[in-house]
Amino acid sequence: MNARTEKAREFWEGRAKRYDTGARIEPAGIRNTRRLLCGGARGRTLEVAVGTGMNLEHYPPQVKLTGVDLSPAMLERARERAEEQGRPVTLVEGDAQELDFADQSFDTVLCALALCTIPDQGRALAEMHRVLAPGGRLLLVDHIEYTRFPFRLRERLRKHPRRLPRTVAEEAGFEVGHHDRLLFGMVERLVAHRPH
């Protein structure tokens, strides 16, 4: 794990206990997006950066769900939530930039509001592409306020500036079938697939 990733891990370890408190005031558009995207999951599904498991209740019951997260404290809360809901899920500590799964292991990969916090978006999306079976679906929603003026001016000054998820997904080999924005263009949703 490199220094940037270790710093991200420490950040989320510190936020784990308070994370759900802030999430309770989430805008309706985000809550609806969680339901919509999770409802589109099929078969063997991987949620990258599962966090405290806020999405668990939205997955169809027939989905065989695996969640990966960098933070053990976040995963502990996700385990508790899964038990409360009676939701079977395999939870794994791991780095989205180096997923410890075999090639083509999943039919669906979902990442919700987390790509912007992963140090290397390109590596993470390349890994999501690698673990998806041909024809598999990528379901993604992320904050993109950093691509809007005046935020993009500050973003350019970063050593590792973030980029529009749709662009990075296409560079990783995904074909984007649908994308749109909500919350005044500050959040982007996309549905893509790994070509056959």
Side-chain angles (χ1 to χ4, degrees):
M1 189 179 301
N2 65 29
R4 289 172 64 209
T5 306
E6 186 58 46
K7 187 175 179 182
R9 181 184 196 166
E10 289 171 12
F11 175 81
W12 291 112
E13 281 287 278
R15 296 275 310 265
K17 287 184 180 177
R18 300 184 314 274
Y19 185 79
D20 289 344
T21 304
R24 287 191 193 112
I25 57 171
E26 207 169 57
I30 296 294
R31 284 193 306 275
N32 291 338
T33 294
R34 288 181 187 279
R35 283 189 211 98
L36 180 70
L37 289 182
C38 293
R42 300 291 180 266
R44 301 163 300 165
T45 296
L46 174 66
E47 182 172 341
V48 174
V50 68
T52 62
M54 289 185 59
N55 294 325
L56 296 179
E57 65 182 307
H58 303 304
Y59 286 101
Q62 67 274 19
V63 162
K64 184 177 181 191
L65 185 59
T66 300
V68 63
D69 203 276
L70 196 58
S71 163
M74 288 282 202
L75 286 170
E76 183 54 38
R77 177 62 190 117
R79 276 189 195 87
E80 292 168 5
R81 183 171 261 139
E83 287 174 15
E84 289 165 8
Q85 296 174 5
R87 171 82 213 193
V89 58
T90 302
L91 295 169
V92 178
E93 183 182 335
D95 183 354
Q97 303 159 120
E98 295 179 37
L99 293 171
D100 194 19
F101 302 106
D103 295 356
Q104 303 179 18
S105 298
F106 298 97
D107 305 301
T108 306
V109 172
L110 183 136
C111 185
L113 305 172
L115 188 64
C116 60
T117 69
I118 296 171
D120 189 330
Q121 292 172 308
R123 278 179 57 204
L125 278 161
E127 281 291 275
M128 293 179 211
H129 186 274
R130 179 185 66 77
V131 301
L132 261 179
R137 305 174 88 187
L138 171 68
L139 306 169
L140 184 110
V141 58
D142 207 33
H143 302 285
I144 59 164
E145 71 282 348
Y146 56 85
T147 66
R148 306 279 309 266
F149 183 83
F151 307 109
R152 72 172 171 251
L153 300 177
R154 186 177 67 196
E155 190 67 23
R156 288 180 188 159
L157 300 175
R158 289 174 54 135
K159 187 174 180 181
H160 303 281
R162 294 168 291 179
R163 298 172 52 224
L164 193 64
R166 181 178 67 237
T167 303
V168 183
E170 288 170 342
E171 289 171 359
F174 287 103
E175 289 185 6
V176 176
H178 172 82
H179 66 89
D180 63 1
R181 292 188 180 177
L182 60 151
L183 298 180
F184 306 104
M186 299 294 190
V187 173
E188 181 175 69
R189 300 184 286 200
L190 69 89
V191 177
H193 72 278
R194 176 178 172 168
H196 288 281

